Amino acid sequence: MPAPWRARLSLAILVVAAGPVIADDYEIGFEDFLYRSKATLLNRDNVFGLDPTENLFRFTGTGRKALGRFAVKASAFVERQTGVTDETTLTFRQAFAEYKTDDGFLLRVGKQKIAWGSGLAWNPTARLEPPKSPANPGTEQPGIDAVRMDISPAGWASITLVAGRAQSNLTDLPGSLSRPSDPQWAGAVRARLLVRDTDLAVTYLGAKDRSGLVGLDLGRTWGPVALHAESALYRGSEIDRGRRDETFLRIAAGALWTPGDSSLSVEYFFNGEGMSGSQFDAYRGRLDRNLKAARDPRLPESARNAAFAVWSVDAGIPFSSNLGLRRHYASIALTRQGIATDLDVRLRAVGGLTDRGLIVTPGLAYAPTGNVQMSLDIVLLFGPETAEYKLAPIERAFQARLKYSF
Amino acid sequence: MAIGAAAIARDVDAQTPNEATRILEKAQVTILGETASYTLRMTVNRTGKSPRVVTMDGFKSGDDRGLVRYTDPPKEKGTVYLRRDDNTYIYLPAAEKVARVGPKQTFGGGDFNNGDIFRLSLTRDYEATLAGEETVNGVPCHVLELKARNRGVAYDRVRYLVRKDGTHFPCLAEYFTISGKKLKILRTDEVETLGGRKRPTRMIMESALETGAFTELKFLKIDDRPKLDERMFSPASLERER
C-alpha cells in the first residue's frame, strides 16, 4: 500500500476508534515533541545523523465504551516525524477489552498499561513496559500486549497476574535515537496488601531468557506527608551484558506533600547496577576509542565495522532498557494549581547526584473550558559535558499537548 | 437544699456529654445514612476566578469507607478519591497513577478537605459537650463543642449547631485550630426530599481566612440502601481504573 494511502487509512481508523458512535467517553488531540539536537560526547560530529530540529507531531485519539461489566478501550496516535526521518506511522498505546466486577475481579486482554509501583519518577518494579521519563513522568506511555487478571479475596488484599510481551525501550525519541524494541515474553504476579495502614506490595517478574525480579513496595501516610519506598532485587545487569550473573538492588524512596492547591514531591533513586565514576569514564573512553577506530581510514574495513558495531551497542545503552547509567539520583517536583483561572504550573528537576547532571522541566497546563486541556513542558539539560544527562544529543525539548474531551 | 441543687447540677453536667454525643450521632446520619450512594455537584468559588463545577458519584459504607469518582467535566472525569480507614488515596487518570494523600488535604481544590468528605464519624473523632443554644435563621439549635480526640483529625475544635426541632439537621459548624483561630464555616440548608426522605441537600463551606472563597456541595441524588461490595473500597481497585 502506498505510504499516503496507508497514512489516510491510519487516520480513518483512529477517527473511528475515537469516535462518539462507539465510546462512552472519548477525546481527540494533538501532541508535538520538538527536539533541538546537538553534538555531545555521545553524538560526536553528529554521528546519530540528527537534523538540528527533529519533530514528532501526533494526532491522538482515545475512546472507551462500557457495556455493563464489559468495556473496550482504544488509544492511538498517528505520528508524522520530520527531520532526518520523514515518515508517518500509526501506534496504538492501548487497545483492550475487559470484564470487571465491583468485587475486585478483572480480566483484561489486549494492549494495555500495566504500570504499578509507588515510585513517582522511577518504578523499579514496573519492568514490563517502557520506563517513563523521570524528566516528565506524566507523559503518556504505551502499554504492552498482555493478559491481566486481578482477584481481590478481601478489601485489604488483591492479587494481579500478568502474562505478556514485555517492552522496555524508551519512547518518544526522534530519528535514530528511537530503537526498535524486541518484545520478550514475560510473566508477573503481584500481591497488594493494606496492613495496619501501610500499603505493601510484593512482585515477582520473570521473563524468557532472563532471571527473575523480586519487588517490594511500601507506602504509608505520616502526618500530612505520604511516604513510599519501591525496591527491586534482580539478577543480570540491564546496562552491561557482561554482568549477567550479578544481583542488583534498586530503590526509589520519597515523599509527597499536598497542602491546598499545591503539591511537593521528592524522591531518591538508588540504581545498584549503575556505573561508578571510573566505570563511567571507562564507558565514555570506550565510546571514543571505538568511534575513532570506526572512522580510521588506516584500519581495514572489517576492523572499522567491528569497532562501529561495538560503538553502536554502547551508544544505544542510554536509550535502551534501563533506568539510568549512574547510581544515585534525586528528583523534586512542585505543582501549583489555579495560579490564575484554569492555569496550573509545575516544575520538575531530576539530577544525577554524583555527576551533577540536571534535567529541569518547567510546565504549564491550561484548561479554558471543561473540555479543553492544553499543556506545554520544556525540557532543559544542565551540568558538565561529562554528566550522563549531557550525553543525550539534545540541547532542549518542547512537549506540547492539546486535548478535547467529549 | 443548696447541697441538693448542687447534686442535681452535677448530675446534669455528668449527663451532658452523653446527651451531646447522642445529638451528634443523630445529626451525622441526617444527610447520608450508614451506607449510601449519591451524586454530588461541587462548585468551588474564588474571588476573581470563574466558578469551578465538578459532578461526582460517591459511595460510602460505614464510617471508614468512602469513594468518590468525578464524572464531569470531561477534563476531570475519572479522578477518584478513596478513603479506607485512616488511608486516603487519589487516582489521577492523566498520569494513570494512584497516590496516597494526607487526610487534611483539600478535596478537589475546594474548601472541604478529605476529612470533611470521608471522615464520617464525628462521634469517634471528637468529644462532644453541650454548650448552650443559639438561633440560626429563626431555628433554635443546640450548640455542641467538639474537641478532637487526637491530632490526626482534620480540625482541633469544632462548634457544631444542630436543630432542636427534632429533625437533628445540622445547620452551622465553625472549625478552629488548637489556638482558637477560626478556619472555616459550614452552612447546611436546602431541606428537600431526596432518596425518599427529607434532608439538607446543600452544604456551603466558607473559608474564614480567604475573603470570597467558598465551596458548595449540592446532593443531586441519594440512595440510602445500595448494595456495595466492601472490595470496591480498596486501593487495588484504583489500579484497575484505567
Side-chain angles (χ1 to χ4, degrees):
Chain A
M1 187 185 293
W5 279 104
R6 200 166 57 223
R8 278 179 219 168
L9 180 62
S10 302
L11 192 66
I13 291 170
L14 185 52
V15 168
V16 170
V21 179
I22 64 163
D24 277 343
D25 53 285
Y26 63 97
E27 63 185 34
I28 56 173
F30 299 99
E31 288 177 0
D32 195 79
F33 291 70
L34 188 147
Y35 297 89
R36 292 291 297 170
S37 70
K38 66 180 242 185
T40 63
L41 294 179
L42 186 65
N43 185 34
R44 281 199 190 282
D45 308 320
N46 193 20
V47 64
F48 282 101
L50 299 171
D51 267 5
T53 299
E54 295 276 351
N55 196 57
L56 312 179
F57 179 78
R58 295 166 177 171
F59 173 62
T60 63
T62 299
R64 184 183 177 92
K65 169 77 176 169
L67 293 163
R69 291 173 171 177
F70 291 93
V72 290
K73 179 175 181 177
S75 175
F77 60 83
V78 175
E79 178 182 276
R80 175 79 180 161
Q81 186 166 159
T82 52
V84 165
T85 310
D86 197 345
E87 60 182 18
T88 302
T89 54
L90 170 70
T91 302
F92 275 86
R93 282 176 169 143
Q94 297 189 81
F96 64 75
E98 70 175 21
Y99 176 80
K100 184 161 70 171
T101 64
D102 283 344
D103 61 8
F105 178 79
L106 169 76
L107 180 64
R108 185 178 288 161
V109 181
K111 191 163 190 180
Q112 58 185 292
K113 291 188 205 176
I114 307 296
W116 55 43
S118 61
L120 301 172
W122 294 275
N123 291 111
T125 66
R127 303 298 290 129
L128 288 171
E129 53 202 358
K132 60 194 179 187
S133 164
N136 195 357
T139 306
E140 194 173 349
Q141 295 290 295
I144 61 165
D145 298 324
V147 177
R148 169 182 175 154
M149 185 169 73
D150 284 27
I151 303 161
S152 286
W156 53 272
S158 79
I159 297 166
T160 300
L161 301 163
V162 178
R165 283 155 52 86
Q167 297 202 55
S168 49
N169 279 10
L170 297 180
T171 58
D172 302 327
L173 293 171
S176 56
L177 302 184
S178 176
R179 307 215 158 198
S181 174
D182 181 20
Q184 201 177 28
W185 281 104
V189 56
R190 184 169 191 256
R192 179 174 179 148
L193 310 169
L194 177 59
V195 183
R196 299 176 74 89
D197 293 329
T198 301
D199 291 313
L200 170 69
V202 181
T203 306
Y204 178 79
L205 196 157
K208 194 183 171 193
D209 303 328
R210 214 183 131 184
S211 301
L213 176 151
V214 177
L216 178 65
D217 202 333
L218 296 167
R220 188 176 173 83
T221 305
W222 185 59
V225 177
L227 305 173
H228 67 270
E230 181 181 347
S231 61
L233 197 64
Y234 61 99
R235 199 169 167 82
S237 170
E238 293 179 346
I239 58 176
D240 184 352
R241 293 182 180 189
R243 301 166 77 189
R244 283 278 177 193
D245 296 324
E246 292 181 46
T247 300
F248 301 100
L249 175 69
R250 282 175 172 150
I251 300 174
L256 171 67
W257 181 45
T258 48
D261 293 338
S262 305
S263 74
L264 174 68
S265 68
V266 292
E267 192 167 70
Y268 163 74
F269 176 49
F270 172 72
N271 181 28
E273 68 164 283
M275 300 178 197
S276 65
S278 58
Q279 287 170 326
F280 192 62
D281 289 343
Y283 166 71
R284 285 191 291 107
R286 203 165 64 232
L287 280 168
D288 276 349
R289 275 196 312 279
N290 285 312
L291 189 58
K292 277 180 188 162
R295 291 171 165 179
D296 189 343
R298 295 169 300 176
L299 294 175
E301 189 178 351
S302 59
R304 291 205 305 271
N305 289 343
F308 189 77
V310 175
W311 175 87
S312 189
V313 170
D314 279 340
I317 288 173
F319 312 106
S320 60
S321 170
N322 64 77
L323 297 182
L325 304 185
R326 305 303 300 271
R327 284 192 187 156
H328 304 283
Y329 300 87
S331 79
I332 183 166
L334 179 67
T335 64
R336 173 79 179 153
Q337 295 181 337
I339 58 158
T341 299
D342 302 319
L343 183 66
D344 305 336
V345 292
R346 53 196 178 216
L347 180 68
R348 297 187 186 89
V350 181
L353 296 181
T354 43
D355 64 14
R356 292 178 289 119
L358 185 67
I359 306 177
V360 178
T361 313
L364 287 172
Y366 180 54
T369 72
N371 299 73
V372 177
Q373 298 172 77
M374 293 184 262
S375 69
L376 174 68
D377 294 282
I378 303 171
V379 182
L380 304 167
L381 291 81
F382 300 96
E385 292 303 308
T386 53
E388 174 191 353
Y389 290 147
K390 291 289 279 185
L391 292 184
I394 292 165
E395 191 173 17
R396 57 187 175 272
F398 301 87
Q399 301 175 347
R401 293 173 194 82
L402 169 69
K403 278 184 185 175
Y404 187 87
S405 306
F406 297 83
Chain B
M1 186 69 182
I3 293 171
I8 291 167
R10 275 201 304 276
D11 285 348
V12 170
D13 287 346
Q15 287 172 8
T16 301
N18 290 335
E19 175 66 3
T21 302
R22 191 183 63 77
I23 293 169
L24 190 59
E25 278 173 352
K26 288 188 175 178
Q28 69 187 13
V29 294
T30 54
I31 299 177
L32 292 177
E34 183 73 4
T35 300
S37 68
Y38 53 89
T39 300
L40 191 64
R41 185 184 64 224
M42 179 173 76
T43 308
V44 181
N45 296 277
R46 293 286 181 270
T47 304
K49 295 179 184 175
S50 308
R52 176 170 156 262
V53 182
V54 179
T55 307
M56 54 195 86
D57 287 336
F59 307 88
K60 80 170 275 245
S61 176
D63 296 332
D64 297 319
R65 309 276 194 274
L67 187 141
V68 166
R69 183 179 287 119
Y70 287 13
T71 55
D72 194 72
K75 70 177 182 186
E76 302 199 51
K77 187 174 180 177
T79 300
V80 184
Y81 280 87
L82 168 72
R83 175 82 175 204
R84 185 180 178 89
D85 303 326
D86 288 329
N87 310 285
T88 309
Y89 304 84
I90 183 172
Y91 172 73
L92 299 165
E96 299 201 321
K97 187 85 188 163
V98 179
R100 267 180 174 264
V101 290
K104 296 184 182 181
Q105 191 214 346
T106 301
F107 174 76
D111 295 287
F112 291 87
N113 64 32
N114 291 326
D116 298 325
I117 302 292
F118 296 115
R119 190 57 165 187
L120 303 156
S121 177
L122 291 171
T123 48
R124 201 172 69 183
D125 287 346
Y126 295 93
E127 195 173 327
T129 52
L130 268 174
E133 293 179 19
E134 265 183 38
T135 300
V136 177
N137 296 330
V139 180
C141 296
H142 295 292
V143 179
L144 307 181
E145 277 288 338
L146 311 185
K147 282 189 181 167
R149 293 185 194 275
N150 64 69
R151 296 297 305 275
V153 301
Y155 308 100
D156 297 305
R157 186 166 75 84
V158 184
R159 197 164 168 273
Y160 198 78
L161 277 68
V162 178
R163 280 165 69 153
K164 283 189 71 181
D165 58 6
T167 62
H168 291 95
F169 292 156
C171 46
L172 184 76
E174 295 173 313
Y175 301 91
F176 299 88
T177 63
I178 200 163
S179 64
K181 187 177 182 181
K182 191 189 288 185
L183 295 171
K184 298 175 189 174
I185 303 143
L186 175 69
R187 295 175 212 284
T188 309
D189 57 12
E190 294 193 359
V191 175
E192 296 170 11
T193 301
L194 206 58
R197 68 176 168 92
K198 281 200 162 193
R199 59 184 109 205
T201 61
R202 187 174 77 151
M203 295 188 285
I204 297 175
M205 184 72 91
E206 182 187 338
S207 171
L209 306 176
E210 186 182 344
T211 308
F214 65 96
T215 299
E216 178 193 281
L217 294 184
K218 174 71 181 175
F219 286 96
L220 306 176
K221 201 163 71 178
I222 297 177
D223 177 0
D224 287 319
R225 293 186 187 83
K227 287 181 182 171
L228 303 177
D229 192 293
E230 196 259 347
R231 286 168 286 192
M232 74 183 283
F233 302 99
S234 80
S237 72
L238 298 189
E239 288 188 345
R240 295 187 279 272
E241 286 286 330
R242 61 178 69 96

